[in-house]
Amino acid sequence: MRNFRRSFILTFLTIIYVVGWGGSCLAAPSSNEKNITPILSSLLLAKAEIPNTTKVVIGSDGVVKAFKGKKMQSAVKVFVGYTVDERTNYTYTLITGPTGMIISSQGVITYNVPSTSDTKAIPITIRVTSIEGGWSKLESAQVVIMATEVIASGVIGSEGGVISDEWEDVVLTVPVDAVTEQTTFEVLRGIDEKGYYIYTVKSSTPLLKALQLRLPDPQFRKAPQDSNTIESSEAFKSAQSQKDLIPKKREASNGWNLWRYWSANYAKITSGIGAENRLRNDLPDNSEPANDNIDNNYHHDAAALFSLCSAPSYSETCGDKDPVLFIHGYSPGGDLGGGKGTWGQLPELIANEDYAVFEFNWRTNARFVDAATNLADAIRIINLFSHKKVHIIAHSFGGLVSRAYLQNYAVGRPYHDDVQSLLTLGTPHSGIFDEDGTYHGLSFLKGQDSRLFKACLQISCQQAGESTPNAWTVEQFWGPNIDFSFWFGIDTDPGKFIAQIDDTAGDHKIPVNVLALMGLPRNANKTFQNGDGLITYAGQRFDRTWRNTKVHQNPLQIGEGEVTERILGVTVYDSDALPGDTVSNAVLSHWGPSFWGYFHSTAVPAYIAAYPIGAAEPNVSNSSIVHTGSDAPHAALTEIKAWLRLNHSAPFTPLTITLNTQVVDATTQLPISGANVYFNVNGSQVSSAETFGVTNENGQLSIELPFYALSKYTALVTKNGYHNDEFDTGYTTGLTPGWSGAEFGRLELQPDQVATGDLSGQIVNATTGLAIPNASYTLIRNSLDHTGVTDSSGNYSISGLIIGTYELRLSKTGYQNETYFITIHGGQSNNGSANMREILSDGQMSIRLTWDVDPSDLDSHLVKYDASGTQQYHIYYSHKSDSTTGDNLDLDDTSSYGPETTTIQSVEASARYVFAVYHYSGSGSITTTSNAHVSVGYGSNSTVTFNAPTSGEGRWWKVFEINNGSIVPCQNNCILDDQGSVFNATARSRNVQSKSETAFMPDWLLDIMANEMPAK
């Protein structure tokens, strides 16, 4: 039986859906024709310049992607400050564009792309005119017509079903009752102007439910270099270079250097009134929501790391300076935020104080936990260069992203103890709820100090407390709306993330000192307002239970850190100030009568006209606007400088591990040189040179990787002439690098010619060898499952499997859940025999050895020493059981595969154990052909897998030791020989007398060799 499964890998998409557009449309003029009337009317109307808080955006950063033979629709967006202006007081005129393109009165561009169209980028120009504001603006963009191919198709009815491409890398699942009749589905693939694959789904009838589309890992989305890619038009490039993006992101200029950027997946949903929204769908899952007219796009910049330091010459430019990382807040429109528009000159002013300054730019239409994954990687990069912990200065939502990482909520990135301190400006720590109430079982006060949040269409607003259903709902004029919230991994009840970070105990404790700076401006009556113009005073409180009490200006212990609060420019002079209070004389005597306090941001339209100073935007040139005395600094600058002086960065060097692997041809078993190997941690690639390597002439790779405790590592391998594949070898780290193995295992890459093979095997008891009937099995590759139960003899079989590496999961009541990794070779029946261990009691350990056909005979050896170092036993094929403890080896397999299972009935904390594998007989070797695995179950703990080394010569493999009750993997010199100058080349063992001859050998091996091992 083959079912759909949600796989847990990163993926990326764009969803475009436009329905219910009304009003008249204007067609583009032909090349020899002028559309004069709209232009004249616009010129007559436009007497005022477009306000600097208003921006016009078309597509994704000025690019609209289109498939041949498919309808393209995209909405023009007008932003006022933070939000999309959904009023209808705009007219839209298509000035230039292809024949047949039209634009509606609501700004929706529609173009039925001819199937015969050339693959190219078409420049378009739209004029947007504000009737109310009296301004008009030309905006340029380009429509990218992509080469299109159908990679999967099929007919599916109301019963649901699955279609896939030939490699089953792209899988479309249609759920039950998604359609009411037999429907033809097609999965199309195009190549965008950056050379990345873009996917879309077409259906011949309307849909009632969301589909699910599984795409290859983003690392595999790059099209071959000889593919038909598109060049941007020169006119568009010129216009784009002069474009003022929304908001103004950090540019690699004026002393700023781009260090790194990250890409991610987005879903673009256009609502019925033209308010287009782009959402990040960066889940640990390659299964994506899909619908008719859905374009799945990977290559959007999700985040970027900039610095005033130069990476190539870091030691010269920033030397031993403490690193400071700025993180901006909410950004409208789905573009990267930050830059001068957020911070003014603050980063430069801090750099002048002798700090190494960085900025993390991110798209705020994301889950906080996903953005925190990129933030964790950015911090690690800074650590690698500075060898110090990082200070974070975060504005607004940037503080929530910081807390997601610090409190261990980042996807795949546990907190690494690499941050020195956190300072937040106007962060809604207690949410942006629109009214007092109980949310997720907790009591919160109203957090909104503006109605602007009502226009937010981003997931981040939903997570922070404002309901944004348009962020995950596709409106359909012909049927029910389709809810995509599940695929975005969000709770439809607002504020779930705020409720999560309210838990500051255990793994979610606050690990660093925090200074929370809040904005609380006054009104014309000289009384403090309820908030900073966007977030209420209660919403800015670090702890929801503090509500409207006075700030904690003295440090308060929370978790491992101390939290301090202050109102910007106020608390230092009046520690009792609260909303509604009259501004004290002490405050006014310091700042002067012109002091109005600090608003959330200059992008808050209500305050732009008169008082444009925001909490995050200190600028010496305009400091006189907020206080008397032009030499008096912005309050935020004063607070930050004092904070940094009190909290010097501690030395810190990120932990690493070294992993060894080998890539071989799955058919010939010969090594593959020049294969590119990328490593993921917990399903997310760390965007750093640390995670990429190329195999040598022996197909081997030894690579230093970032270390994350108790984390799963997987590899993605690419090579011309072979099919790209992802490999899970079961490798998981321990608590420390020293408790983590060094061997990732051998990776078998399939030639790029699709084929099928069969799988059959028997499931047996690991201890008794008896068959296990009715054991449930699930064979998994990509998004497809093959499930069933074993027959009365413990047998099962599956035919017609696409070649590649599969994961076999076994389960049955009374047994541990077991996982195996099996490679399917084409044109043959592959061995899928496996065993299951009975559930272990506390302290009990089961050690299982399995291997491939060669060598035919590998042996398990377990040596135990007491606290004084005296050997207690040596359990192996000739001495299978210890009468004192009951520790035992179940059997000696001499004809390939195994398993051999060694059981320790109760691990003694004071004892030392050594487990090793010996190549007794048969061709090949442990390192070149065995593909051996040792799986260790320890009480109720998770199973740990050790993979055979892929380099070294010798007949012994030391796998691990047990010291003080903990497993310590062998990391160096794990392959040893018992022959050469010391041992007779033909003898299996020898009674060793001369220590001088054996000084290179470890004690456990000397003890084994001291007594003759009998022949079998």
Side-chain angles (χ1 to χ4, degrees):
M1 177 180 178
R2 191 165 89 166
N3 299 322
F4 169 77
R5 182 189 72 89
R6 299 186 199 101
S7 60
F8 294 90
I9 311 169
L10 279 181
T11 188
F12 304 86
L13 76 164
T14 299
I15 297 178
I16 305 176
Y17 196 81
V18 185
V19 294
W21 305 106
S24 61
C25 298
L26 296 173
S30 63
S31 58
N32 59 355
E33 188 177 28
K34 302 292 184 182
N35 194 347
I36 297 176
T37 304
I39 299 176
L40 288 175
S41 62
S42 297
L43 291 174
L44 291 172
L45 190 66
K47 297 180 179 179
E49 292 186 1
I50 183 172
N52 59 9
T53 58
T54 301
K55 304 295 179 182
V56 177
V57 177
I58 302 174
S60 171
D61 296 333
V63 176
V64 180
K65 297 178 175 65
F67 289 83
K68 290 183 181 181
K70 185 175 172 62
K71 179 187 288 187
M72 178 222 80
Q73 289 185 306
S74 184
V76 179
K77 296 175 288 187
V78 179
F79 281 90
V80 177
Y82 275 142
T83 60
V84 176
D85 190 350
E86 297 181 0
R87 295 174 295 179
T88 58
N89 63 338
Y90 297 103
T91 62
Y92 303 89
T93 306
L94 181 64
I95 304 300
T96 60
T99 301
M101 178 176 284
I102 60 175
I103 187 167
S104 75
S105 59
Q106 276 111 356
V108 180
I109 306 167
T110 301
Y111 180 45
N112 290 306
V113 184
S115 59
T116 57
S117 176
D118 293 334
T119 299
K120 58 185 177 180
I122 305 174
I124 64 172
T125 305
I126 308 292
R127 180 181 294 279
V128 180
T129 301
S130 171
I131 300 172
E132 182 180 287
W135 56 261
S136 182
K137 187 177 188 302
L138 289 174
E139 191 69 23
S140 298
Q142 69 175 346
V143 175
V144 173
I145 308 298
M146 300 179 292
T148 305
E149 60 177 327
V150 178
I151 61 171
S153 64
V155 177
I156 298 175
S158 60
E159 72 282 359
V162 175
I163 61 173
S164 67
D165 68 339
E166 62 176 1
W167 279 99
E168 296 180 347
D169 290 333
V170 177
V171 181
L172 176 68
T173 297
V174 180
V176 174
D177 294 331
V179 291
T180 60
E181 57 188 280
Q182 293 296 103
T183 300
T184 299
F185 290 91
E186 291 182 334
V187 179
L188 308 182
R189 184 173 69 185
I191 303 173
D192 72 1
E193 77 286 359
K194 297 178 182 178
Y196 283 86
Y197 286 132
I198 308 296
Y199 298 82
T200 194
V201 176
K202 290 184 67 175
S203 64
S204 61
T205 67
L207 303 176
L208 301 179
K209 291 182 179 180
L211 312 179
Q212 193 161 10
L213 184 66
R214 191 273 179 195
L215 299 178
D217 187 277
Q219 202 63 249
F220 300 149
R221 302 275 187 92
K222 186 72 172 176
Q225 292 183 355
D226 58 353
S227 298
N228 190 7
T229 56
I230 303 111
E231 283 294 324
S232 298
S233 66
E234 290 302 319
F236 175 79
K237 289 178 180 177
S238 175
Q240 189 76 348
S241 66
Q242 303 171 28
K243 189 174 181 181
D244 186 15
L245 298 177
I246 312 293
K248 182 66 176 177
K249 66 180 180 182
R250 177 67 65 198
E251 302 289 351
S253 60
N254 299 321
W256 286 92
N257 304 283
L258 175 62
W259 276 42
R260 187 80 62 189
Y261 73 89
W262 292 261
S263 296
N265 178 30
Y266 293 85
K268 182 158 43 178
I269 299 176
T270 306
S271 69
I273 56 174
E276 189 173 273
N277 181 37
R278 188 170 48 193
L279 299 174
R280 180 170 178 177
N281 182 32
D282 191 4
L283 305 176
D285 189 330
N286 246 21
S287 301
E288 303 178 348
N291 193 9
D292 197 18
N293 294 325
I294 291 179
D295 297 336
N296 298 280
N297 179 18
Y298 156 59
H299 200 66
H300 279 312
D301 293 340
L305 178 64
F306 287 87
S307 179
L308 288 170
C309 303
S310 170
S313 57
Y314 185 87
S315 59
E316 290 80 17
T317 57
C318 288
D320 195 41
K321 298 177 182 178
D322 286 0
V324 178
L325 177 62
F326 288 84
I327 308 175
H328 64 81
Y330 174 83
S331 170
D335 294 308
L336 293 176
K340 190 173 182 179
T342 295
W343 301 109
Q345 296 298 314
L346 178 56
E348 288 83 356
L349 294 173
I350 295 301
N352 291 342
E353 298 295 319
D354 210 29
Y355 291 96
V357 171
F358 297 81
E359 183 179 2
F360 177 73
N361 302 106
W362 60 292
R363 295 185 190 265
T364 57
N365 42 14
R367 300 189 310 169
F368 291 113
V369 295
D370 296 319
T373 300
N374 297 147
L375 172 60
D377 294 342
I379 290 171
R380 179 181 179 83
I381 292 170
I382 299 172
N383 296 147
L384 286 169
F385 280 84
S386 67
H387 300 289
K388 289 187 175 184
K389 294 186 177 184
V390 177
H391 294 281
I392 295 177
I393 297 174
H395 178 236
S396 191
F397 277 9
L400 298 183
V401 175
S402 303
R403 289 189 64 176
Y405 174 55
L406 291 170
Q407 291 182 245
N408 270 315
Y409 286 110
V411 174
R413 299 293 184 270
Y415 175 58
H416 218 47
D417 194 29
D418 47 12
V419 175
Q420 183 65 39
S421 70
L422 170 65
L423 183 148
T424 65
L425 292 151
T427 290
H429 294 285
S430 292
I432 56 171
F433 300 100
D434 56 7
E435 60 184 21
D436 298 352
T438 299
Y439 303 88
H440 303 283
L442 302 173
S443 176
F444 290 92
L445 293 184
K446 179 180 178 180
Q448 297 182 19
D449 194 34
S450 168
R451 292 189 59 81
L452 290 176
F453 284 113
K454 300 301 178 187
C456 179
L457 300 178
Q458 297 188 4
I459 286 179
S460 55
C461 292
Q462 170 74 20
Q463 290 198 309
E466 168 60 32
S467 180
T468 59
N470 285 339
W472 62 79
T473 304
V474 172
E475 299 178 359
Q476 302 185 115
F477 67 89
W478 45 259
N481 293 344
I482 297 181
D483 185 341
F484 285 101
S485 59
F486 173 80
W487 312 114
F488 294 141
I490 55 176
D491 195 309
T492 55
D493 292 329
K496 179 62 178 292
F497 178 74
I498 298 299
Q500 286 179 313
I501 63 174
D502 182 75
D503 177 9
T504 57
D507 291 339
H508 304 302
K509 62 182 178 293
I510 303 297
V512 299
N513 291 338
V514 180
L515 173 60
L517 298 175
M518 300 180 288
L520 194 65
R522 69 173 178 86
N523 58 27
N525 295 324
K526 296 186 178 180
T527 58
F528 289 113
Q529 300 184 31
N530 193 47
D532 65 4
L534 201 63
I535 315 295
T536 64
Y537 176 81
Q540 296 179 71
R541 300 306 299 273
F542 189 85
D543 188 302
R544 65 180 175 85
T545 63
W546 298 346
R547 304 171 82 82
N548 280 320
T549 61
K550 64 181 182 179
V551 297
H552 288 282
Q553 65 168 334
N554 296 316
L556 186 66
Q557 189 77 33
I558 298 181
E560 294 179 353
E562 294 179 338
V563 176
T564 307
E565 296 179 313
R566 281 198 280 274
I567 300 171
L568 273 171
V570 175
T571 301
V572 174
Y573 312 103
D574 181 2
S575 60
D576 295 324
L578 289 171
D581 288 354
T582 300
V583 180
S584 69
N585 291 330
V587 173
L588 294 177
S589 64
H590 177 80
W591 295 109
S594 62
F595 176 70
W596 285 77
Y598 293 92
F599 298 104
H600 189 84
S601 169
T602 57
V604 180
Y607 303 105
I608 285 177
Y611 312 108
I613 298 304
E617 299 151 31
N619 190 321
V620 171
S621 64
N622 61 21
S623 60
S624 60
I625 297 177
V626 291
H627 46 61
T628 57
S630 60
D631 59 339
H634 191 291
L637 178 60
T638 303
E639 292 277 13
I640 292 169
K641 288 164 61 175
W643 177 256
L644 294 176
R645 284 195 295 268
L646 286 175
N647 295 274
H648 291 295
S649 292
F652 180 82
T653 300
L655 297 175
T656 62
I657 56 171
T658 298
L659 287 187
N660 305 309
T661 190
Q662 183 184 38
V663 180
V664 300
D665 185 300
T667 302
T668 66
Q669 297 299 303
L670 295 175
I672 300 175
S673 64
N676 298 316
V677 184
Y678 304 85
F679 283 89
N680 284 352
V681 182
N682 296 322
S684 301
Q685 186 192 358
V686 180
S687 296
S688 167
E690 297 174 287
T691 61
F692 166 75
V694 180
T695 57
N696 63 18
E697 65 276 8
N698 297 315
Q700 296 169 338
L701 173 67
S702 182
I703 184 171
E704 187 177 47
L705 299 173
F707 171 78
Y708 293 95
L710 304 176
S711 295
K712 189 179 191 64
Y713 286 60
T714 56
L716 301 97
V717 184
T718 67
K719 170 71 177 179
N720 289 338
Y722 291 85
H723 184 67
N724 300 334
D725 210 348
E726 180 171 10
F727 295 89
D728 182 347
T729 63
Y731 181 87
T732 303
T733 54
L735 286 171
T736 68
W739 289 3
S740 303
E743 302 301 330
F744 188 76
R746 187 176 62 177
L747 312 178
E748 298 187 18
L749 202 59
Q750 299 283 353
D752 200 12
Q753 296 177 340
V754 69
T756 61
D758 300 333
L759 179 69
S760 61
Q762 183 183 40
I763 309 302
V764 301
N765 185 298
T767 302
T768 66
L770 298 176
I772 303 178
N774 297 316
S776 298
Y777 65 84
T778 303
L779 188 71
I780 301 165
R781 180 177 176 272
N782 295 337
S783 313
L784 296 174
D785 288 355
H786 305 265
T787 63
V789 295
T790 57
D791 63 19
S792 58
S793 300
N795 295 314
Y796 75 101
S797 63
I798 307 170
S799 60
L801 296 170
I802 300 294
I803 56 176
T805 301
Y806 288 74
E807 181 180 352
L808 176 64
R809 298 178 181 175
L810 304 173
S811 64
K812 183 179 170 100
T813 302
Y815 290 83
Q816 296 184 79
N817 293 335
E818 303 281 6
T819 299
Y820 291 83
F821 298 93
I822 298 172
T823 298
I824 299 299
H825 300 278
Q828 66 184 63
S829 180
N830 298 269
N831 178 34
S833 293
N835 67 74
M836 301 181 69
R837 291 169 288 199
E838 296 177 5
I839 290 178
L840 301 173
S841 59
D842 289 343
Q844 191 175 28
M845 180 177 288
S846 174
I847 307 167
R848 181 180 62 209
L849 168 65
T850 58
W851 67 98
D852 283 351
V853 63
D854 292 317
S856 58
D857 190 0
L858 295 184
D859 287 332
S860 302
H861 290 259
L862 178 66
V863 183
K864 177 185 177 182
Y865 298 90
D866 65 15
S868 66
T870 303
Q871 180 179 332
Q872 299 298 295
Y873 62 60
H874 173 206
I875 292 176
Y876 69 113
Y877 65 83
S878 183
H879 181 70
K880 291 191 178 74
S881 179
D882 176 64
S883 58
T884 302
T885 61
D887 300 348
N888 66 86
L889 169 67
D890 63 339
L891 56 86
D892 175 29
D893 190 307
T894 61
S895 56
S896 303
Y897 302 116
E900 295 184 2
T901 303
T902 304
T903 302
I904 302 176
Q905 300 300 340
S906 181
V907 175
E908 297 177 20
S910 61
R912 173 188 170 220
Y913 301 82
V914 179
F915 182 80
V917 174
Y918 181 64
H919 174 188
Y920 184 92
S921 65
S923 60
S925 70
I926 291 175
T927 57
T928 61
T929 62
S930 76
N931 199 25
H933 305 282
V934 173
S935 174
V936 182
Y938 189 8
S940 59
N941 298 309
S942 300
T943 299
V944 179
T945 299
F946 299 98
N947 304 302
T950 55
S951 62
E953 296 182 2
R955 302 179 76 86
W956 284 97
W957 167 29
K958 179 187 175 185
V959 185
F960 64 87
E961 293 191 10
I962 305 173
N963 290 316
N964 300 316
S966 297
I967 299 172
V968 182
C970 180
Q971 294 183 322
N972 299 294
N973 301 318
C974 303
I975 296 295
L976 301 162
D977 207 349
D978 60 358
Q979 301 183 28
S981 62
V982 177
F983 296 97
N984 185 294
T986 60
R988 293 189 182 87
S989 65
R990 162 181 163 177
N991 192 330
V992 178
Q993 303 297 329
S994 172
K995 281 196 172 183
S996 63
E997 288 183 319
T998 60
F1000 71 94
M1001 302 195 71
D1003 59 348
W1004 61 270
L1005 189 50
L1006 285 172
D1007 290 337
I1008 289 176
M1009 294 298 104
N1011 297 290
E1012 187 82 18
M1013 289 193 297
K1016 297 188 182 181

